Amino acid sequence: MREQYRGELAGLSEHMVEMTRLVGSAIARATRALLDADLALAESVIAADESVDALQAEIEEKSLELLARQQPVATELRAIVTGLRMTADLERMGDLARHVAKLARLKYPDSAIPAELRSTMIEMGQIAERIVAKTGSVIATRDVTAAMELEVDDDAMDGLHREVFRLLLGPHWTHGVEAAVDVTLCGRYYERFADHAVSVARRVTFLVTGERAPLAGASPLGGTGPA
Amino acid sequence: MREQYRGELAGLSEHMVEMTRLVGSAIARATRALLDADLALAESVIAADESVDALQAEIEEKSLELLARQQPVATELRAIVTGLRMTADLERMGDLARHVAKLARLKYPDSAIPAELRSTMIEMGQIAERIVAKTGSVIATRDVTAAMELEVDDDAMDGLHREVFRLLLGPHWTHGVEAAVDVTLCGRYYERFADHAVSVARRVTFLVTGERAPLAGASPLGGTGPA
């Protein structure tokens, strides 16, 4: 029975890793749909978000069932409850990928991203993809050093986000207000996507070390969530 | 002992109601700081967010302690775990009020909001304040009818958000790209604030009725969170 319980806990982790895989694929495809003005790809990202939601629902149901049946205390209790918070972050990352895809769909057959911002957006998409892949590894391995490396990627994302504003507000912006609105929202989606990924990794760190990551706030479940 | 346990569960609810009071005050003051370009008020909102975070941390710690000590099942287990999710929504609402205040601070001594958008932003602030006050009542009373009324306020918020874009992208916008970026972000902060409030109310409804509110998605904890 104890063996089975261990297996069920590991199963929850595996489901969360699967969620990182799904939202990583979603943000990568959403970025491509955005840059290539690919309507079919955008639609597929929008439709696929249902699988992320379904996986979240399954993890929640299994977690509640485990809490009720196994009555865990201390470390295991904290792991399951923190897992629920991580799952909510991952679900939200799926929503943000869907938002990017919806913007691509809205602007079709144009691209929402002016030429001089393409390379910045490509990089934001790549960092988003990399960061969520690393988050998946952190969940699977509980490697605290890898979790800390995510902060570097997140800093890079913040730098790109500032670069977006620099271009938008600089003297050479010729694309008018509508493109500025689109790019503002899009930049924010990527930045929030990375924030949530970092939040998940910080929660894993807190579970492993019992110590909050620097700047992660006062929550006993490991951070007050993305800033 | 059972009496004491009941009291502790009620205490968690009271703490959440207190969170709604704090974030309601924060969004009301942030709106005023934004419209009046009031730097001191903006600073006070930014500083006060710490109290919201501290209250979240306290609720989380007490919830984990209750789960470990009382080993609840069924309804009570679901209530405590759902409460953790509601608390996370409320904490995020505090962050969004702080974001509005930070924008006010950034633009001081100017106001970030052009004249023709003032009435729309006042109304968004008022709906945000009203919606979170109602959310507090819903938590306190578990009144499902009141929870449903919040959806109407949320629809009104979405309508105002569309109005913001209509003005931004219309032929009469003369404030350039920087103001458009500010207004875009600001509009999104209010809209997300309302989304989180509605999400909290939906979770209460789900706890009371066992039924998900329409459109609330597949999560067994009552909705997949704000869209």
Side-chain angles (χ1 to χ4, degrees):
Chain A
M1 189 60 188
R2 190 72 193 166
E3 193 73 16
Q4 188 198 334
Y5 175 36
R6 287 268 155 222
E8 284 169 322
L9 280 177
L12 289 179
S13 268
E14 280 160 27
H15 274 54
M16 277 184 257
V17 173
E18 172 67 6
M19 277 186 92
T20 65
R21 206 187 58 70
L22 290 179
V23 302
S25 166
I27 197 74
R29 288 181 301 135
T31 305
R32 224 167 63 221
L34 183 75
L35 291 163
D36 299 351
D38 185 331
L39 183 61
L41 192 57
E43 294 284 8
S44 85
V45 174
I46 294 163
D49 192 44
E50 265 183 32
S51 324
V52 177
D53 295 349
L55 201 46
Q56 180 196 23
E58 192 183 334
I59 294 172
E60 287 186 350
E61 208 48 81
K62 284 192 172 154
S63 298
L64 284 173
E65 203 253 320
L66 261 186
L67 286 171
R69 184 160 42 81
Q70 297 290 347
Q71 306 282 337
V73 293
T75 310
E76 282 162 10
L77 171 61
R78 203 169 278 260
I80 294 173
V81 172
T82 301
L84 288 169
R85 286 286 288 277
M86 289 158 56
T87 307
D89 280 314
L90 292 166
E91 188 273 330
R92 182 71 196 144
M93 290 163 75
D95 288 344
L96 289 162
R98 194 188 57 205
H99 285 349
V100 172
K102 280 189 170 178
L103 185 63
R105 180 172 71 178
L106 185 70
K107 296 295 153 176
Y108 178 83
D110 298 322
S111 167
I113 307 301
E116 65 262 47
L117 268 163
R118 282 182 70 85
S119 69
T120 310
M121 282 292 168
I122 288 171
E123 224 179 315
M124 288 182 102
Q126 287 172 343
I127 292 185
E129 199 182 341
R130 192 163 74 221
I131 218 169
V132 69
K134 286 186 185 173
T135 299
S137 297
V138 168
I139 296 171
T141 63
R142 301 200 150 209
D143 179 344
V144 172
T145 314
M148 280 169 62
E149 283 173 27
L150 261 92
E151 307 279 344
V152 177
D153 291 306
D154 190 42
D155 287 346
M157 182 66 97
D158 291 342
L160 290 166
H161 195 212
R162 282 191 297 274
E163 170 74 5
V164 167
F165 285 119
R166 203 184 60 71
L167 289 167
L168 272 179
L169 303 178
H172 305 300
W173 183 260
T174 56
H175 305 284
V177 168
E178 184 166 348
V181 168
D182 293 339
V183 167
T184 299
L185 289 174
C186 213
R188 186 153 174 87
Y189 299 151
Y190 284 103
E191 189 239 344
R192 296 287 304 147
F193 187 97
D195 280 345
H196 282 284
V198 169
S199 169
V200 170
R202 283 181 183 166
R203 291 185 207 283
V204 174
T205 301
F206 182 62
L207 283 176
V208 173
T209 67
E211 281 173 29
R212 265 157 235 127
L215 307 175
S219 160
L221 296 180
T224 57
Chain B
M1 190 58 186
R2 190 72 192 167
E3 193 73 16
Q4 187 198 334
Y5 175 36
R6 288 267 156 220
E8 285 169 322
L9 281 176
L12 289 179
S13 268
E14 279 161 28
H15 274 54
M16 277 185 256
V17 173
E18 172 67 7
M19 278 186 91
T20 65
R21 206 187 58 71
L22 290 178
V23 303
S25 167
I27 196 74
R29 288 181 301 133
T31 305
R32 226 167 62 221
L34 183 75
L35 292 163
D36 300 349
D38 185 332
L39 183 62
L41 192 58
E43 293 285 9
S44 85
V45 173
I46 294 162
D49 192 44
E50 266 184 31
S51 323
V52 177
D53 295 348
L55 201 47
Q56 180 196 24
E58 194 183 333
I59 294 172
E60 287 186 350
E61 210 48 82
K62 283 191 173 157
S63 298
L64 284 173
E65 203 253 319
L66 261 185
L67 286 172
R69 184 158 43 80
Q70 296 289 347
Q71 307 281 338
V73 293
T75 310
E76 281 162 10
L77 170 61
R78 203 170 278 260
I80 294 172
V81 172
T82 302
L84 289 168
R85 287 286 288 277
M86 288 159 57
T87 307
D89 280 313
L90 292 167
E91 189 273 329
R92 181 72 196 145
M93 290 162 75
D95 288 345
L96 290 163
R98 195 187 58 206
H99 285 348
V100 172
K102 281 190 171 176
L103 185 63
R105 180 171 72 179
L106 185 70
K107 296 296 155 176
Y108 177 83
D110 299 321
S111 168
I113 306 301
E116 65 263 46
L117 267 163
R118 283 182 70 85
S119 68
T120 310
M121 281 294 168
I122 288 172
E123 223 179 317
M124 288 182 102
Q126 286 172 343
I127 291 184
E129 201 184 337
R130 192 163 74 221
I131 218 169
V132 68
K134 286 185 186 174
T135 300
S137 296
V138 167
I139 296 171
T141 63
R142 301 199 151 209
D143 179 344
V144 171
T145 314
M148 280 169 62
E149 283 173 27
L150 261 92
E151 308 279 344
V152 176
D153 291 305
D154 190 42
D155 288 345
M157 182 67 97
D158 290 343
L160 290 167
H161 195 212
R162 282 191 298 273
E163 170 72 6
V164 167
F165 285 119
R166 203 184 59 73
L167 288 168
L168 271 178
L169 303 177
H172 305 302
W173 183 259
T174 56
H175 305 283
V177 167
E178 183 166 348
V181 168
D182 294 339
V183 167
T184 299
L185 289 175
C186 215
R188 185 153 175 87
Y189 298 151
Y190 284 103
E191 189 239 344
R192 296 286 305 148
F193 187 97
D195 280 345
H196 283 284
V198 169
S199 168
V200 170
R202 283 182 183 166
R203 291 185 208 283
V204 174
T205 300
F206 182 61
L207 283 176
V208 173
T209 67
E211 280 174 30
R212 267 155 234 128
L215 308 174
S219 160
L221 296 179
T224 57

Coordinates of all heavy atoms in Angstrom, one line a residue, chain A residues 2 13 30 33 60 73 75 90-91 104 116 125 161 179-180 184 191 210 216 223-224:
Chain A
R2 N 1.9 1.3 0.9 CA 2.8 2.4 0.9 C 3.5 2.6 -0.4 O 3.7 3.7 -0.9 CB 3.8 2.1 2.1 CG 4.7 3.3 2.4 CD 4.0 4.4 3.1 NE 4.7 5.6 3.2 CZ 4.3 6.8 3.5 NH1 3.0 6.9 3.8 NH2 5.0 7.8 3.5
S13 N 3.8 14.1 -10.1 CA 4.9 14.8 -10.7 C 5.0 14.6 -12.2 O 5.2 15.5 -13.0 CB 6.2 14.3 -10.1 OG 6.6 15.1 -9.0
A30 N 2.9 28.9 -30.9 CA 2.2 30.2 -30.9 C 3.2 31.2 -31.4 O 2.8 32.1 -32.2 CB 1.7 30.6 -29.5
A33 N 3.3 30.8 -35.1 CA 2.1 31.3 -35.7 C 2.1 32.8 -35.8 O 1.6 33.4 -36.8 CB 0.9 30.8 -34.9
E60 N -5.7 17.8 -10.1 CA -6.4 18.3 -8.9 C -7.2 17.2 -8.3 O -7.2 17.1 -7.0 CB -7.3 19.5 -9.3 CG -6.5 20.8 -9.6 CD -7.4 22.0 -9.8 OE1 -8.6 21.8 -9.9 OE2 -6.8 23.1 -9.8
V73 N 1.0 14.2 6.3 CA 1.4 15.3 7.1 C 2.7 15.8 6.6 O 3.4 15.2 5.7 CB 1.5 14.9 8.6 CG1 0.1 14.6 9.1 CG2 2.4 13.8 8.8
T75 N 6.0 16.9 5.2 CA 6.6 17.1 3.9 C 5.7 16.7 2.7 O 5.5 17.4 1.7 CB 7.9 16.3 3.7 OG1 8.7 16.5 4.9 CG2 8.7 16.6 2.5
L90 N 1.0 26.4 -14.2 CA 1.2 25.8 -15.6 C 0.0 25.9 -16.4 O 0.1 26.2 -17.6 CB 1.5 24.3 -15.4 CG 2.9 24.0 -14.8 CD1 3.0 22.5 -14.3 CD2 4.0 24.3 -15.8
E91 N -1.2 25.9 -15.8 CA -2.4 26.1 -16.5 C -2.5 27.5 -17.1 O -2.9 27.7 -18.2 CB -3.6 25.8 -15.6 CG -5.0 25.8 -16.3 CD -5.6 27.1 -16.5 OE1 -5.4 28.0 -15.6 OE2 -6.3 27.4 -17.4
A104 N -2.3 36.2 -33.0 CA -1.9 35.8 -34.4 C -3.1 35.7 -35.3 O -3.2 36.1 -36.4 CB -1.1 34.5 -34.4
E116 N 11.2 45.1 -37.3 CA 12.3 45.4 -36.4 C 12.1 44.8 -35.1 O 13.1 44.8 -34.2 CB 12.5 46.9 -36.3 CG 11.4 47.7 -35.6 CD 10.5 48.3 -36.7 OE1 10.2 47.7 -37.6 OE2 10.2 49.5 -36.5
G125 N 10.3 34.1 -27.5 CA 9.7 32.8 -27.7 C 10.7 31.7 -27.4 O 10.3 30.7 -26.7
H161 N 12.0 42.2 -22.6 CA 10.8 43.0 -22.4 C 11.1 44.5 -22.4 O 10.3 45.3 -23.0 CB 10.1 42.5 -21.1 CG 8.7 42.9 -21.0 ND1 8.1 43.2 -19.8 CD2 7.7 43.1 -21.9 CE1 6.8 43.5 -20.0 NE2 6.6 43.5 -21.2
A179 N -0.3 48.7 -33.7 CA 0.8 47.8 -33.6 C 1.4 47.9 -32.2 O 1.9 46.9 -31.7 CB 1.8 48.0 -34.7
A180 N 1.5 49.1 -31.7 CA 2.1 49.3 -30.4 C 1.3 48.6 -29.3 O 1.8 47.9 -28.4 CB 2.1 50.8 -30.0
T184 N 2.7 45.5 -27.1 CA 2.7 45.7 -25.7 C 2.0 44.5 -25.0 O 2.6 43.9 -24.0 CB 1.8 46.9 -25.3 OG1 2.5 48.1 -25.8 CG2 1.8 47.1 -23.8
E191 N 6.5 37.7 -20.9 CA 7.1 38.0 -19.7 C 6.4 37.3 -18.5 O 7.0 36.7 -17.6 CB 7.1 39.5 -19.4 CG 7.9 40.0 -18.3 CD 7.0 40.7 -17.3 OE1 5.9 41.1 -17.6 OE2 7.5 40.9 -16.1
G210 N 13.5 23.8 1.9 CA 12.7 24.5 3.0 C 13.1 26.0 3.0 O 12.6 26.7 3.9
A216 N 11.6 35.9 -3.5 CA 10.4 35.1 -3.8 C 9.2 35.4 -2.8 O 8.2 34.9 -3.0 CB 10.7 33.6 -3.8
G223 N 7.0 31.3 -2.2 CA 6.9 32.5 -3.1 C 5.5 33.0 -3.2 O 4.5 32.2 -3.1
T224 N 5.4 34.3 -3.4 CA 4.0 34.9 -3.5 C 3.5 34.8 -4.9 O 2.6 35.5 -5.3 CB 4.1 36.4 -3.1 OG1 5.0 37.0 -3.9 CG2 4.5 36.5 -1.6

